[in-house]
Amino acid sequence: MHLLKEWAERRSKGNVNALDALREGQDDWTVAEATGLPAATVEGVRTFYTLLDGTKPRTCTGTACSFARGWAKPTGAEVHCVGRCYEAPCSLERGEFAIPVKALTDEPVVFRSILRSGSETRMQEMYALPAAPSILDTLDATGLRGRGGAAFPTGAKWRAAAETPSDVRYVVANGDEGDPGSYVDRLLLEQDPHAVLAGMNACAAATGATHGIVYVRGEYPRAVEVVREAIDQARELFVPGFDVSIHVGAGSYVCGEETALLRAIEGLRAEPSPRPPYPAESGLHGRPTVVQNVETLAVVPWILATGRGPQTKAFSLSGALETPCAVEAPFGMELREVLMKAGGGPPPGRRWKMALVGGPMGRLVPETRFEIPLSFSHLPGMGHGGIVVLDDSVSARVLAEHLFSFAASESCGSCTPCRVGTAQLVRSKDRASLS
């Protein structure tokens, strides 16, 4: 009875979140009573997420891990990616797992604090800001585009949120890099969290946001700990009236899509919403919300300090490489050059066949086209920059089956073509043309 009374009090204050309640172990009926949601809706939330029981050990079935173990079917609980593709095969577990980092540029921007020893910027300097109009003008002038996949102009998104009338605005750091083969966000959240928080702080200054939320994948328990500590360290440096909290993901690939991510924060199933309206106009709880990828936010303090636009991008390299790593490379550098210089080329006795760029929904680049430049214009499917290289032991058919299985498993089920189509692809036996 005491617990029910506590939940009733939280409900009266509008603070009950179905996903958080389920994560705390409440049953469906108790959560329905506390939230006012139908019991069927609560059950839908509970059955949607795969990590509500916590980060217990699970075998990773991401692209790099699957092919690293020779496509042997894992036993026990599974997870699609744990952000350790550079040491595939691996599993979900707690601990610190160092990420190898390199730069193919003399002036790293994304990894500036991680790679350059002795060049750490004092926290006060990192959070220092120009006037709000100047922030927006600088972003427009430097042409910063979102680095989570859509490549939308950052300045335009922030300006839309700033100009939408509201007494409450939000800024959300999207750390849900669910693409198997991507781990740059994990690297930044664990090793340079203040760059991300300072970028959020700049967004708050420019848009008038009062609340910030760092969305961290549930598969990244170490990142959650580091970011929480960084928030405590930086709280007094945030612009007046702005504060930041953390939302820990509960396991869903589709949460990488900004409207689905917002529904997850609201405690509902992570189903994408039709647009318009866009989140910058009507997002979290119907208020103007800037949802920005972690890497995008991390480069904002550098842009504001220098007035220049970054000409580099971070990539995650894994698969058939001698030295898988996270690498910062100039826009326009050819894929083959990045793989050779940063990835060390193919392992002895193996030959490259293709590379999956941008995750399961990205682009498959055959080895004959590895001279393609890495840029938003030359490779629109570049996405967040995850690159998994596959050798000639992997057939296109087996890779297709792997991708179809992933899509069917991670479909949110909201749209009929996706829900039914992915299931039909998994069942289909007529794939001779893919061999």
Side-chain angles (χ1 to χ4, degrees):
M1 293 298 295
H2 173 74
L3 186 60
L4 289 175
K5 182 180 179 180
E6 177 183 334
W7 278 93
E9 292 175 350
R10 291 176 63 182
R11 178 188 177 189
S12 67
K13 297 177 182 178
N15 293 327
V16 177
N17 179 295
L19 178 54
D20 289 342
L22 291 168
R23 210 190 311 247
E24 292 176 10
Q26 301 302 307
D27 64 78
D28 291 1
W29 287 104
T30 300
V31 176
E33 174 65 22
T35 60
L37 294 171
T41 300
V42 176
E43 181 183 12
V45 175
R46 177 175 54 78
T47 57
F48 186 87
Y49 298 97
T50 60
L51 298 180
L52 283 179
D53 56 352
T55 53
K56 67 181 183 182
R58 289 173 168 84
T59 300
C60 181
T61 60
T63 307
C65 286
S66 292
F67 291 103
R69 65 170 59 93
W71 200 241
K73 184 163 181 62
T75 58
E78 302 176 6
V79 66
H80 281 308
C81 188
V82 299
R84 287 164 51 205
C85 321
Y86 51 91
E87 56 181 23
C90 61
S91 60
L92 176 60
E93 54 193 302
R94 290 187 175 275
E96 296 185 40
F97 305 95
I99 299 175
V101 186
K102 298 179 182 179
L104 298 180
T105 174
D106 293 333
E107 186 180 14
V109 175
V110 184
F111 299 155
R112 60 193 181 279
S113 299
I114 298 173
L115 284 173
R116 292 197 165 181
S117 60
S119 65
E120 294 83 359
T121 302
R122 288 179 298 180
M123 286 179 57
Q124 290 85 351
E125 296 177 358
M126 184 176 291
Y127 287 88
L129 294 169
S134 177
I135 294 175
L136 296 174
D137 291 343
T138 299
L139 292 181
D140 287 338
T142 56
L144 177 65
R145 299 168 69 179
R147 293 166 173 229
F152 188 81
T154 303
K157 181 186 291 189
W158 292 21
R159 197 176 293 278
E163 294 176 352
T164 299
S166 180
D167 58 342
V168 176
R169 296 181 180 84
Y170 297 91
V171 53
V172 178
N174 184 349
D176 190 75
E177 56 176 351
D179 285 341
S182 297
Y183 47 89
V184 166
D185 286 356
R186 190 196 128 210
L187 172 65
L188 292 170
L189 292 171
E190 291 183 358
Q191 296 193 35
D192 197 13
H194 285 292
V196 181
L197 294 176
M200 297 178 70
N201 189 55
C203 184
T207 64
T210 51
H211 304 281
I213 300 171
V214 183
Y215 188 106
V216 185
R217 296 185 71 210
E219 293 87 347
Y220 294 173
R222 174 61 180 162
V224 174
E225 298 170 0
V226 172
V227 173
R228 183 171 288 123
E229 181 179 352
I231 291 173
D232 290 340
Q233 293 170 346
R235 187 160 275 125
E236 294 183 358
L237 300 175
F238 293 149
V239 295
F242 178 67
D243 200 11
V244 180
S245 60
I246 297 176
H247 179 92
V248 181
S252 171
Y253 168 76
V254 77
C255 281
E257 196 277 332
E258 61 180 5
T259 61
L261 179 143
L262 296 179
R263 287 179 63 86
I265 295 175
E266 292 172 345
L268 304 173
R269 288 169 57 95
E271 297 172 330
S273 304
R275 292 172 291 182
Y278 293 91
E281 300 167 329
S282 178
L284 190 63
H285 307 305
R287 305 302 185 105
T289 305
V290 172
V291 182
Q292 208 74 68
N293 161 260
V294 161
E295 182 186 338
T296 312
L297 290 166
V299 301
V300 168
W302 182 89
I303 291 174
L304 297 181
T306 64
R308 292 185 285 146
Q311 301 301 312
T312 60
K313 171 81 177 73
F315 298 92
S316 308
L317 307 185
S318 60
L321 294 166
E322 185 69 14
T323 55
C325 65
V327 59
E328 183 170 349
F331 278 116
M333 181 174 283
E334 293 181 354
L335 173 60
R336 188 184 303 277
E337 185 176 2
V338 173
L339 297 180
M340 291 299 296
K341 289 184 175 179
R350 299 169 70 178
R351 297 176 56 190
W352 288 334
K353 183 174 184 177
M354 51 192 165
L356 185 63
V357 181
M361 310 304 161
R363 295 289 186 274
L364 188 63
V365 181
E367 187 275 338
T368 54
R369 294 196 60 213
F370 275 13
E371 277 65 39
I372 190 169
L374 292 174
S375 70
F376 295 126
S377 57
H378 289 93
L379 193 55
M382 188 171 68
H384 184 38
I387 301 174
V388 183
V389 185
L390 304 165
D391 63 22
D392 55 7
S393 69
V394 180
S395 73
R397 172 173 179 160
V398 171
L399 176 61
E401 290 174 346
H402 164 71
L403 298 179
F404 294 159
S405 176
F406 176 90
S409 175
E410 289 295 328
S411 170
C412 75
S414 179
C415 303
T416 301
C418 179
R419 181 181 66 251
V420 177
T422 54
Q424 289 181 335
L425 284 170
V426 169
R427 293 193 299 266
S428 175
K429 302 300 181 184
D430 182 20
R431 301 196 189 114
S433 61
L434 296 176
S435 298

